[in-house]
Amino acid sequence: MTAYVIADIKMKDPKWVPAYAASVHDIVHKHGGKYLSRSGNVKTLEGKPLDTTLIALMAFPSEAAARAFTNDPAYAPFVSARQDGSDSRFQLIDDTDLAGTIPYLPKG
């Protein structure tokens, strides 16, 4: 089952970004993942805007693969740099439909 990681970032100090952006995609790919988006073009369509300055959306072949990425020792120094230079939240979701009414998604 496909798993998605949604990274919601609020920059405090962008020094970490060049090394992170140049290297982390290789670690994502190592675990079968791919970026669907990594954008600072964040616009709120409804509700109170968050302080988000960057959202990254990654797809992985499974939850285990997504967790392997986030737990990879090669990723650890990039995690530390990101956490030091931002307020960030990583969320994991699967590809299910909670209501079970979308025919092309598994019922969640």
Side-chain angles (χ1 to χ4, degrees), residues 37-105:
S37 179
R38 184 171 66 184
S39 178
N41 297 320
V42 179
K43 296 170 182 64
T44 301
L45 297 178
E46 183 178 324
K48 181 181 176 186
L50 301 174
D51 289 338
T52 300
T53 53
L54 170 75
I55 294 178
L57 176 60
M58 295 160 272
F60 290 87
S62 66
E63 179 178 339
R67 290 185 184 277
F69 156 64
T70 60
N71 294 321
D72 190 318
Y75 183 46
F78 298 104
V79 172
S80 293
R82 176 180 43 79
Q83 290 174 342
D84 289 345
S86 73
D87 293 325
S88 55
R89 175 178 53 230
F90 275 41
Q91 298 182 87
L92 179 69
I93 61 171
D94 59 23
D95 65 348
T96 61
D97 171 30
L98 183 62
T101 59
I102 299 173
Y104 53 86
L105 292 176

